[in-house]
Amino acid sequence: MFCPKCAESMTERDGELTCVKGEMGLSKHLRRLLTQYCDDPPLQLSSRQSHANWSGLYYCPLDGAPMITTATLHPMCPMCDRILTNAILYDLLELHPHR
């Protein structure tokens, strides 16, 4: 799995999946969400626009590709067509600081 904030490969450290470069460990909840993101088929893109401003540069946790912003303002991977959900983005921005 790749870090969605810098595209570095995540490392298992003391039972916690960690971005070493960004000094960011994942909570069990975010790890579960990102594992689902990688394991499940891509979600169908909703026509509803996100009410949150998720601006910023994100990387696909599955393949490390830089993500593009969809018409609904969600980050989407151009390689695998997966989108980062509001739940993933909220956890990343509010609960997981990255250097």
Side-chain angles (χ1 to χ4, degrees):
M1 185 180 304
F2 295 92
C3 175
K5 290 189 174 183
C6 72
E8 290 292 317
S9 184
M10 303 286 281
T11 303
E12 188 81 27
R13 184 181 276 178
D14 298 325
E16 182 179 68
L17 198 57
T18 303
C19 172
V20 176
K21 178 181 176 183
E23 299 178 17
M24 178 185 78
L26 297 185
S27 67
K28 290 179 183 178
H29 180 253
L30 184 55
R31 183 177 183 160
R32 186 170 42 255
L33 291 174
L34 291 177
T35 299
Q36 285 177 332
Y37 171 95
C38 292
D39 290 347
D40 293 349
L43 297 172
Q44 292 290 11
L45 188 59
S46 169
S47 60
R48 279 187 17 203
Q49 188 167 340
S50 175
H51 295 290
N53 180 1
W54 302 123
S55 64
L57 181 58
Y58 299 98
Y59 298 89
C60 180
L62 181 62
D63 55 40
M67 300 186 99
I68 59 173
T69 303
T70 66
T72 61
L73 304 179
H74 285 93
M76 182 179 87
C77 178
M79 304 297 285
C80 66
D81 293 330
R82 286 174 165 76
I83 60 169
L84 291 179
T85 63
N86 287 345
I88 291 172
L89 291 163
Y90 177 83
D91 266 27
L92 276 174
L93 289 174
E94 299 296 329
L95 305 174
H96 293 82
H98 189 277
R99 296 191 190 265

